[in-house]
Amino acid sequence: MGLDLYAKIEPYLDFEEEVYTLHKEFLRFVMVNDLNNIIDIGCGQGYFLENLKVNKKNYFGIDLSVEQIKVCQEKNLNAQAIALKDVKEKFDCATAIFDVLNYIPKNEIKTFLKEANLVLNQCAYFIFDVNSYFGFDEIAQGCITIDVEDKFIAIDANFEDEKLQTDITLFEKQENGLFSKEQDSIIQEYHSKEFLTKALNETGFELVEIKEFNLHTQEIADKLIFICKKK
């Protein structure tokens, strides 16, 4: 999966407002419920970790992308490039923000949820968001080209059979004036409310609430935020 290539192009995608809006919603929940000792699963370049750090929360971030974690560590954030199953500590809250569960295939969701359950203390919260069907079908699909500095980026996303395939191409100008080319793809899957509710119940979670969330449009909710507790 092209997560390391995505890490290279992410700073040029101009998603700052969306990142801020969604992180604000998660941070509000953390602050209102006075949560501490938080693991952020799929922490990316550490934007949410920075919010936790500023608010003096104990936190730990993990991500499978070595490139993303390098950025976190350059910011002096507590984060490691390790798999969830390799985390040994226990936490009072887990977050998985910006489609983390959509990157997990349906046949691996229950394994992921079991691993999330294992790193949590009793009655701890697990909060995550997923894209709605509308979010995939009407918002995520399409083509983007970005021509900036010494880079040219092309992104082509297609949603079919409940899967979004995003093809990324990056051209970078080298010192000799020629351009190098990198290509990779990212696959995300649509997970329905019913599917996730059943999976959560079967892996030791109590579903507290599903919140509809409008991130990219006011028309129809393009995201769902799941608030769960370990049984």
Side-chain angles (χ1 to χ4, degrees):
M1 188 180 291
L3 294 179
D4 283 341
L5 181 55
Y6 182 82
K8 288 186 178 182
I9 70 166
E10 186 177 8
Y12 304 97
L13 297 181
D14 195 26
F15 285 157
E16 288 88 353
E17 185 175 341
E18 288 86 350
V19 169
Y20 172 79
T21 301
L22 190 57
H23 284 177
K24 183 179 178 182
E25 183 70 13
F26 276 73
L27 186 63
R28 184 191 66 80
F29 185 86
V30 167
M31 300 304 289
V32 166
N33 291 278
D34 196 24
L35 301 177
N36 202 0
N37 191 25
I38 298 159
I39 181 170
D40 188 29
I41 304 165
C43 64
Q45 298 187 7
Y47 300 119
F48 190 63
L49 301 182
E50 289 179 300
N51 287 319
L52 295 174
K53 186 176 182 179
V54 165
N55 285 280
K56 302 188 186 310
K57 299 293 184 180
N58 295 321
Y59 70 89
F60 178 52
I62 62 170
D63 201 287
L64 295 177
S65 169
V66 173
E67 293 301 317
Q68 301 275 39
I69 292 300
K70 281 181 183 176
V71 176
C72 290
Q73 292 174 345
E74 286 168 3
K75 298 176 181 176
N76 293 317
L77 295 171
N78 182 24
Q80 290 184 26
I82 60 172
L84 180 57
K85 64 182 176 63
D86 296 324
V87 175
K88 304 304 180 188
E89 298 86 357
K90 297 278 189 180
F91 300 87
D92 296 323
C93 178
T95 56
I97 309 175
F98 258 114
D99 323 336
V100 169
L101 272 77
N102 290 125
Y103 289 101
I104 302 171
K106 280 184 172 58
N107 62 355
E108 296 177 17
I109 281 287
K110 285 178 69 173
T111 298
F112 171 83
L113 292 175
K114 287 176 184 176
E115 291 171 356
N117 191 286
L118 287 173
V119 303
L120 292 173
N121 291 315
Q122 210 64 33
C123 298
Y125 279 101
F126 179 34
I127 318 159
F128 64 88
D129 68 271
V130 291
N131 286 316
S132 68
Y133 193 92
F134 176 82
F136 272 127
D137 196 40
E138 297 293 334
I139 304 298
Q141 285 200 97
C143 301
I144 301 172
T145 58
I146 302 167
D147 193 354
V148 59
E149 299 174 359
D150 56 352
K151 297 175 179 63
F152 179 80
I153 301 163
I155 301 169
D156 184 12
N158 182 54
F159 184 58
E160 188 175 1
D161 297 329
E162 298 193 344
K163 293 184 180 181
L164 181 79
Q165 177 168 326
T166 303
D167 300 320
I168 304 169
T169 304
L170 169 65
F171 293 93
E172 284 189 291
K173 192 173 185 178
Q174 305 301 301
E175 289 183 2
N176 60 10
L178 299 177
F179 280 82
S180 64
K181 179 183 177 181
E182 288 184 73
Q183 284 184 301
D184 214 331
S185 297
I186 294 173
I187 303 291
Q188 291 177 272
E189 292 194 24
Y190 166 70
H191 303 312
S192 68
K193 284 183 186 179
E194 295 75 17
F195 169 75
L196 288 172
T197 299
K198 185 172 184 289
L200 286 162
N201 185 58
E202 291 174 353
T203 53
F205 286 102
E206 172 195 352
L207 180 58
V208 177
E209 184 182 2
I210 303 175
K211 294 183 66 174
E212 294 190 346
F213 194 75
N214 296 76
L215 184 61
H216 299 279
T217 174
Q218 294 303 313
E219 185 179 353
I220 300 173
D222 52 286
K223 279 199 169 292
L224 302 173
I225 297 175
F226 282 69
I227 300 170
C228 322
K229 281 185 103 170
K230 180 172 178 172
K231 291 179 182 177

